[in-house]
Amino acid sequence: RLNAESAASRVRRVLGEAFEQNTIAVESAAGVLKLSGWVIRPGAATASRDSQHVFVNGRYVRDKLIVHALREAYRDVLHHQLNPAYCLFISLPPDAVDVNVHPAKTEIRFRDSRGVHQFLFHAVERLLSAPVAASHTPEAGSPPAAPGFRSGFGAPQQASMPLQVTEAMGFYAPLQGSGVR
C-alpha cells in the first residue's frame, strides 16, 4: 500500500532506483492519444519481463498489442533474448477502448488497434533513436509526473565545432615519418 504521491515517486518506490536511473522519460501525443511514463535504456534491459507496466486511462492492463508495439520499437536496439522494461500511461477517450474483454478487466481491446499500435511504436522508437543528449534522464526527484507531464528539456542543441585542420595535421605530421600506421 502506497500513499498518494506523484507518479515519479510511486515508480521509484515500486520499481526501484535502478529502474529510475536507467530510464528515458516519454511524453507523446497524437490527436486524442496521449502517452507518458518511462522506458528503459536498451543497455539496461534484462531477460525478465517483470518490469513491464502499462496503464490505460488509469487502469492496469496486460495487452498483447501494447507489448508487441513496444517490443517492435526496441527491435533494432535490443538483443532478442532481452526484454524492455517500462512504466507507461496511455490515455484516450473511454469509448475508444473496450474494457469488458476479460472478467478481471486486465485485458482490453482498442477500437482502432492499428492506430494505437503505430502510435506506441513510433513514439518509443523515435525516443530510442534520438541522440543520447536528447534522451537524458532528469535528475532524481524530477522525472515528469504522469499522465500529461511536461519535461524541462527543450530540443537538443549542438555546440559549434569548428574544423581545425591545421591542428590535426600538426598532431599527426610527426607520426607520418615514424612509420606508425
Side-chain angles (χ1 to χ4, degrees):
R1 296 186 183 241
L2 298 171
N3 294 329
E5 57 190 336
S6 72
S9 298
R10 187 163 291 192
V11 166
R12 187 179 316 110
R13 285 183 192 261
V14 174
L15 299 176
E17 287 184 34
F19 177 85
E20 179 189 29
Q21 292 171 357
N22 290 300
T23 58
I24 305 167
V26 178
E27 180 179 5
S28 188
V32 295
L33 281 169
K34 291 178 180 45
L35 174 67
S36 60
W38 300 266
V39 295
I40 198 85
R41 294 178 190 282
T46 65
S48 172
R49 292 184 182 160
D50 292 343
S51 294
Q52 296 181 342
H53 305 281
V54 178
F55 298 83
V56 175
N57 292 344
R59 177 191 304 265
Y60 181 80
V61 299
R62 287 280 190 199
D63 185 76
K64 292 177 185 178
L65 175 110
I66 295 171
V67 171
H68 183 266
L70 296 171
R71 183 80 181 150
E72 286 297 301
Y74 275 87
R75 177 186 58 217
D76 292 339
V77 295
L78 198 61
H79 187 271
H80 69 279
Q81 293 177 343
L82 298 177
N83 292 294
Y86 43 82
C87 183
L88 297 171
F89 302 87
I90 302 168
S91 61
L92 67 164
D95 62 341
V97 62
D98 181 4
V99 297
N100 294 316
V101 175
H102 188 271
K105 308 286 188 204
T106 57
E107 294 179 25
I108 58 174
R109 184 174 300 125
F110 294 102
R111 304 266 186 245
D112 179 13
S113 58
R114 184 170 183 262
V116 171
H117 184 281
Q118 289 300 95
F119 168 69
L120 293 173
F121 168 75
H122 288 297
V124 175
E125 182 189 46
R126 188 171 38 251
L127 184 67
L128 294 173
S129 65
V132 174
S135 60
H136 174 70
T137 303
E139 297 294 322
S142 66
F149 58 80
R150 281 279 186 216
S151 175
F153 294 104
Q157 300 293 320
Q158 175 68 44
S160 174
M161 296 176 51
L163 183 60
Q164 299 170 344
V165 176
T166 55
E167 289 88 351
M169 288 178 61
F171 176 79
Y172 289 109
L175 298 176
Q176 187 175 11
S178 68
V180 176
R181 296 196 187 260

